[in-house]
């Protein structure tokens, strides 16, 4: 039997590996990806395992590689991804790798450290350069206006009030004397090193009666307002602050961010104020720089700073070059290294799961293996042994177990997406029927019933076709956009959904809510001109051969219905019926699948006590209703006379309700009966009675049967004991004691069985009613979709066709774009998503509940491919 | 000269191709007086015709008008396709050289 129908047969195997060969063998198995190892030392914690030091070394290597990668990304160097997959290196190669990484990391750290120091130097020099330049402006201003009252000069109208007050006070105190700043100030002590961020010491300088001093520095621009206020408050308005913005942003050496800063200069008098100002500057993280007072010295200093900056620039450039060279060299190999390290780590992790044999000569592993692949695995083991040069072959030994094996469904790129849909509900129990092959057809079909539109389906199909045709290139790109990845993973589902939607769209004759008249409508109007001119609504009589050809339109819906006023009424009746028909068939197929499960697991009781009554219940009630629909379609027609005319056609729903309630409806006038065929009443009563009879069978038959079987066994057991009792007097005590606990256990089990069976039956009986109704969503969504697309056309596209000149073309150009975006956004994406979710529900609840247990656990083999994929996604996050 | 991002230009290309195909077809269907599109003609619901001749001539005029408008819009989409194709090319070339 094909593997898609059931999960693979699995075996628990014991694997003996020679210590030296273990690494190579596990590496081969990892490449193969078909073996799931079990943890044989679950109670040993991670630090006590055998290969913990190796794992740690790998962690350390990974850390170094991540650091390298971060640096490479920072510099924007493209990392070479050749897509090749190097084998896991030999253990001795690990030391080489470690040494390489160590060297690279140290080099990089050193370079970074140097670069940071250089950058800090550079920043300081640049700030100093700006200070010198800006303060020059301040001093120049003062110089120009020397001789005028400082108060008026400084009371710049733009300055804040507080400064005006400050200067006013000063002016008062100075007694109208001019404050000579700048030119007359002079610097006394000047540190030999410009760079040294030492406190600048200024000799107090006498201006009239007052000593004025100043400090200059650089502060972050956003701190300026708070800084200003703080200075004003703390110094009670006795300092004077001037500031200017540095236009170019500066680079912060530690974070690499671009920051905006401002130069400030503070004038004050007295030592107390000085210390206060200094403290405030410190508090605001302002950097103070020494600034000479004499212009000539400033000029000199500026020259010195400029040359230093130039020198630094060359050194910085060389450092960057060196760093770049190191990183480019690393970028070539980094992906390769990552893969190697991840593989080594995975191997040691796996080896940690193994048991050590007493002699320490070999490692013992337990693993789940698909039976079909044992040969391949053995080949891989042999390769591993050869590679390691060991002479003792590994031994793979099948074990018997009572544990449930894992569920392994072999998938390919086409089936895996559908398998994922099923697995999202629950992993199949071991060897249970796998719903995937049926889902591949029924899922897109039920989706398409709700999404029937040739145009929208076509768009969907084209998108998926693009994904499928370019899948190799697109897969290599490895986009980290989550939505895109979902679409890409589901490309085959979308392809089929699009294709099926095109088909149903053709049947509904809907393309963007318009109809295609491919074969010519089979309806004709025979009204004369005056009738048409004077009547608003006219009918076309299907019973007249002149009006209707009496042969239906060859494919799908006749296009004339698009123009009919009763289109929705007509379509509703049709779509509701097909929804129920598809639903009942879908559920019946689900129930039939349960037969295969019972037969496979040799569960004969369930076939007789579950399956047969279930099928009878569903067929006699709901499939009968489906048959009634076909009978109604066939036996009533417009050309027939009473009682076969459409006027006499009974409502299926009413008929069905009356059938279940044993009620007799009254026939309409001119119609003889409410029944469609002779003996329908009797047949219906029989069907309902049989169906109802199935309920107690489902409810009780199985538990009672099992109970009786156990009682029989019990009797045999007691008889058996009785005979021994007769023979052996010593065993008497034991025999008397044994049965009560066993019997109590049985009773518990029987009680549980009754409850379980009760729940199961109620679920099934009520479920078949509600699930049948649930399939009406096929009709509801299909109606909603058709109506929505019609509304979109008439509200948007029609508006593009109202202008009566060539301007209309331009207008239409614009409106079409709008309509296209809405079509994709609302009708294809949103409606598509909603139809998708409803289809998913129909499969999970209505279809799978009939046969699917989903209690298994997935087979997760040790595979480098899987580990590398998860590692790469983790890095991207 | 680049004024569209890569996504916008791709979107422009797709809508243009779609627009060209659909509008040319729609124009054709208007030109052959397709009944399915009669609801989109700019004839008011309350418009009263004196006789069928008047109705036919009005509908005929509207059909031709809509057909030409569709074709004009399709031509504009050809222009849009060229522009967004050029933008897409510029964007791609830039990413290639990076």
């Amino acid at each position: 039997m094909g593997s898609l129908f059931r999960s693979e047969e699995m075996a628990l195997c014991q694997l003996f590996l020679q210590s030296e060969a273990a690494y190579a063998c596990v590496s081969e198995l990892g490449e193969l990806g078909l073996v799931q190892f079990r943890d044989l030392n679950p109670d040993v914690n991670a630090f006590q395992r055998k290969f913990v030091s190796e794992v740690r070394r790998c962690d350390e290597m990974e850390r170094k590689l991540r650091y390298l990668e971060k640096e490479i990304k920072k510099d924007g160097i493209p990392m070479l991804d050749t897509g090749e997959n190097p084998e896991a290196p030999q253990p001795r190669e690990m030391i080489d790798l470690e040494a390489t990484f160590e060297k690279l990391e140290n080099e990089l750290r050193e370079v970074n450290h140097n670069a940071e120091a250089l950058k800090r130097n550079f920043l300081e020099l640049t700030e100093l350069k700006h200070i010198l330049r800006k303060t020059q402006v301040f001093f120049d201003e003062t110089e120009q206006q020397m001789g005028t009252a400082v108060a008026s000069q400084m009371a710049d109208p733009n300055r804040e009030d507080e400064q005006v007050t400050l200067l006013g006070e000063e002016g008062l105190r100075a007694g109208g004397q001019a404050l000579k700043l700048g030119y007359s100030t002079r610097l006394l002590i000047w540190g030999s090193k410009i760079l040294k961020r030492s406190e600048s010491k200024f000799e107090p300088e006498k201006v009239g009666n007052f000593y004025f001093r100043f400090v200059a520095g650089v502060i972050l621009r956003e701190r300026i307002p708070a800084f200003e206020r703080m200075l004003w408050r703390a110094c009670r308005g006795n300092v004077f602050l001037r500031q200017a913005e540095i236009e170019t942003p500066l680079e912060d050496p530690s974070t690499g961010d671009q920051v905006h800063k401002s130069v400030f200069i503070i004038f004050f008098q007295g030592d107390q104020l000085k210390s206060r100002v200094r403290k405030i500057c410190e508090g605001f993280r302002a950097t103070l720089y020494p600034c000479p007072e004499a212009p000539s010295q400033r000029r000199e200093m500026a020259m010195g700073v400029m040359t230093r900056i130039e020198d630094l620039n060359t050194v910085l450039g060389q450092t960057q070059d060196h760093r770049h060279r190191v990183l480019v060299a690393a970028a070539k190999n980094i992906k390769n290294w990552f893969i190697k390290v991840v593989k080594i780590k995975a191997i040691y992790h796996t080896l940690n799961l193994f048991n050590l044999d007493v002699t320490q000569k070999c490692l013992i592993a337990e693993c789940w293996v698909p039976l079909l692949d044992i040969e391949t695995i053995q080949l891989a083991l042999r390769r591993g042994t050869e590679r390691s040069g060991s002479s003792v072959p590994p031994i793979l030994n099948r074990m018997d177990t009572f544990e449930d094996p894992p569920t392994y469904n072999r998938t390919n790129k086409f089936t895996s997406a559908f398998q994922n849909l099923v697995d999202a509900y629950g992993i199949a129990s071991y060897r249970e029927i796998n719903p995937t092959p049926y889902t591949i057809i029924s899922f897109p079909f039920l989706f398409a019933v709700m999404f029937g539109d040739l145009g929208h389906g076509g768009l969907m199909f084209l998108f998926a076709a693009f994904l499928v045709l370019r899948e190799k290139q697109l897969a290599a790109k490895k986009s980290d956009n989550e939505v895109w990845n979902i679409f890409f993973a589901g490309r085959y589902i979308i392809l089929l959904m699009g294709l099926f939607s095109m088909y149903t769209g053709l049947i509904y004759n809907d393309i963007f809510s318009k109809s295609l008249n491919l074969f010519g409508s089979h309806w004709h109007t025979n009204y004369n001109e005056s009738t048409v001119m004077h009547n608003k609504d006219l009918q076309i009589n299907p019973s007249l051969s002149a009006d209707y050809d009496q042969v239906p339109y060859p494919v799908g819906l006749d296009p004339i219905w698009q123009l009919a006023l009763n289109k929705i009424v007509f379509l509703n009746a049709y779509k509701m019926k097909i929804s129920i028909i598809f639903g009942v068939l879908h559920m019946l197929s689900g129930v039939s699948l349960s037969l295969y499960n019972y037969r496979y697991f040799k569960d004969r009781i369930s076939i007789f006590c579950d399956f047969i009554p279930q099928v009878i219940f569903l067929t006699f009630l709901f499939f009968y209703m489906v048959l009634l629909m076909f009978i109604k379609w066939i036996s009533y027609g417009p050309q027939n006379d009473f009682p076969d005319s459409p006027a006499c056609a009974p409502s299926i729903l009413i008929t069905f309700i009356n059938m279940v309630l044993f009620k007799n409806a009254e026939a309409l006038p001119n119609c003889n009966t409410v029944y469609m065929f002779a003996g329908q009443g009797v047949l219906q009563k029989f069907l309902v009675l049989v169906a109802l009879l199935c309920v107690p069978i489902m409810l009780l038959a199985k538990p009672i049967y099992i109970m009786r079987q156990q009682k029989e066994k019990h009797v045999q057991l007691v008889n058996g004991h009785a005979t021994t009792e007769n023979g052996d007097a010593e065993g008497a005590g034991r025999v008397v004691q044994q049965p009560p606990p066993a019997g109590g256990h049985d009773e518990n089990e029987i009680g549980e069985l009754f409850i379980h069976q009760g729940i199961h039956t109620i679920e099934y009986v009520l479920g078949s009613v509600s699930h049948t109704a649930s399939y009406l969503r096929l009709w509801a969504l299909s109606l909603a979709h058709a109506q929505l697309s019609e509304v979109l056309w008439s509200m948007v596209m029609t508006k593009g066709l109202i202008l009566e000149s060539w301007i209309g073309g331009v207008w239409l150009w614009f409106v079409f774009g709008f309509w296209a975006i809405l079509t994709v956004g609302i009708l294809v994406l949103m409606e598509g998503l909603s139809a998708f979710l409803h289809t998913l529900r129909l499969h999970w609840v209505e279809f799978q509940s009939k046969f699917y247990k989903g209690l298994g656990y997935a087979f997760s083999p040790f595979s480098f491919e899987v580990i590398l994929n998860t590692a790469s996604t983790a890095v991207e996050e | 000269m680049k004024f569209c991002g890569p996504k916008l230009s791709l979107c422009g290309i797709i809508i243009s191709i779609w627009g060209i195909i659909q509008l040319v077809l729609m124009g054709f269907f208007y030109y052959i007086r397709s009944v399915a599109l009669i609801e989109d003609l700019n004839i008011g619901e309350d418009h009263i015709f004196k006789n069928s001749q008047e109705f036919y001539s009005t509908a005929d005029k509207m059909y031709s008008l809509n057909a030409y408008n569709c074709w004009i819009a399709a031509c504009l989409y050809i222009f849009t396709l060229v522009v967004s194709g050029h933008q897409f090319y510029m964007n791609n070339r830039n990413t290639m050289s990076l």
Side-chain angles (χ1 to χ4, degrees), chain A residues 47-101:
Chain A
F47 301 105
Q48 292 165 341
R49 302 207 173 200
K50 186 164 189 277
F51 296 100
V52 72
S53 66
E54 280 84 353
V55 172
R56 260 199 208 135
R57 277 163 66 195
C58 291
D59 276 337
E60 183 63 17
M61 285 198 280
E62 264 191 319
R63 188 192 59 72
K64 281 173 188 154
L65 282 177
R66 272 200 302 272
Y67 173 72
L68 268 178
E69 192 188 40
K70 203 182 86 199
E71 294 294 319
I72 290 171
K73 274 192 184 152
K74 214 198 232 168
D75 274 27
I77 301 168
M79 274 174 285
L80 197 67
D81 191 2
T82 49
E84 64 176 328
N85 191 3
E87 284 201 344
Q90 294 295 316
R92 57 180 175 278
E93 258 183 70
M94 200 166 132
I95 299 162
D96 292 346
L97 283 178
E98 266 181 325
T100 321
F101 299 159

Side-chain angles (χ1 to χ4, degrees), chain B residues 3 15 18 21 23 34-36 38 41 54 60 62-63 69 71 82 86 89 92 94:
Chain B
F3 51 85
I15 289 191
W18 180 5
I21 295 172
L23 288 169
S34 164
V35 186
I38 201 164
L41 296 186
E54 195 191 329
D60 216 41
M62 285 304 175
Y63 267 124
N69 277 347
W71 284 332
V82 171
H86 172 252
Y89 170 72
N92 259 21
N94 280 5

Side-chain angles (χ1 to χ4, degrees), chain A residues 265-541:
Chain A
I265 182 162
I266 305 168
F267 298 99
F268 52 85
Q269 65 180 144
D271 278 333
Q272 270 192 335
L273 268 180
K274 177 182 170 185
S275 63
R276 215 176 269 173
V277 165
R278 254 176 213 298
K279 274 193 187 128
I280 293 171
C281 291
E282 253 169 49
F284 276 87
R285 300 275 161 88
T287 335
L288 294 181
Y289 290 96
C291 179
E293 298 197 12
S296 59
Q297 276 171 320
R298 278 204 301 271
R299 214 164 295 134
E300 220 168 78
M301 195 166 156
M303 299 280 279
V305 168
M306 288 308 281
T307 43
R308 301 252 342 210
I309 285 181
E310 261 160 45
D311 289 353
L312 258 182
N313 257 337
T314 38
V315 178
L316 255 177
Q318 278 169 1
T319 324
Q320 288 293 359
D321 273 355
H322 180 60
R323 180 186 141 91
H324 196 77
R325 272 199 301 278
V326 172
L327 287 181
V328 166
K332 271 184 204 146
N333 290 322
I334 190 147
K335 288 275 174 198
N336 230 327
W337 286 338
F338 252 121
I339 293 174
K340 279 185 181 171
V341 171
V342 166
K343 280 189 176 176
I344 302 176
K345 196 174 150 193
I347 290 173
Y348 281 118
H349 257 305
T350 312
L351 289 177
N352 269 338
L353 302 178
F354 293 2
N355 242 344
L356 214 60
D357 155 288
V358 257
T359 55
Q360 302 258 328
K361 283 274 170 54
C362 77
L363 290 161
I364 306 164
E366 276 180 23
C367 50
W368 288 110
V369 172
L371 266 187
L372 285 176
D373 289 317
I374 282 193
E375 289 290 311
T376 342
I377 289 162
Q378 245 148 2
L379 267 177
L381 287 175
R382 208 161 300 147
R383 268 204 308 276
T385 325
E386 273 164 27
R387 247 178 49 182
S388 64
S390 160
S391 52
V392 188
I395 302 160
L396 192 69
N397 193 6
R398 250 186 99 167
M399 289 163 61
D400 286 328
T401 176
F402 296 108
E403 258 182 86
D404 279 333
T407 306
Y408 175 44
N409 288 306
R410 229 180 274 264
T411 54
N412 55 28
K413 63 184 179 181
F414 176 69
T415 54
S416 66
F418 292 96
Q419 186 70 51
N420 281 340
L421 284 184
V422 171
D423 286 350
Y425 174 76
I427 308 280
S429 306
Y430 179 62
R431 297 294 285 161
E432 191 181 21
I433 278 272
N434 182 11
T436 307
Y438 316 100
T439 306
I440 290 175
I441 294 304
S442 63
F443 192 91
F445 180 71
L446 290 186
F447 172 86
V449 170
M450 297 189 245
F451 196 74
D453 188 303
L454 189 57
H456 302 149
L459 289 177
M460 201 175 244
F461 173 76
L462 285 178
F463 173 66
F466 164 75
L467 290 184
V468 168
L469 290 177
R470 303 277 309 257
E471 67 184 355
K472 285 224 175 84
Q473 290 99 310
L474 292 172
K477 266 189 193 166
K478 276 192 186 150
S479 161
D480 50 353
N481 183 338
E482 212 175 324
V483 178
W484 173 262
N485 283 339
I486 291 173
F487 279 132
F488 187 67
R491 58 194 182 278
Y492 286 100
I493 300 181
I494 301 176
L495 186 80
L496 284 189
M497 289 193 312
L499 207 61
F500 280 57
S501 300
M502 284 165 75
Y503 167 72
T504 50
L506 198 69
I507 297 294
Y508 295 160
N509 215 338
D510 252 349
I511 171 163
F512 299 121
S513 85
K514 297 285 156 197
S515 294
L516 290 177
N517 191 3
L518 292 177
F519 304 99
S521 175
H522 286 201
W523 297 76
H524 315 281
T525 48
N526 292 307
Y527 292 108
N528 59 26
E529 193 184 320
S530 65
T531 323
V532 174
M533 289 302 293
H534 296 108
N535 288 292
K536 191 155 170 47
D537 300 323
L538 290 169
Q539 289 190 359
I540 305 179
N541 190 349

Side-chain angles (χ1 to χ4, degrees), chain A residues 13 20 23 87 146 230 257 445 590 648 730 743 745 835 844:
Chain A
C13 288
E20 291 82 51
Y23 183 91
E87 284 201 344
M146 222 176 69
M230 189 57 150
D257 294 338
F445 180 71
C648 285
E730 280 172 36
H745 183 66
W844 282 357

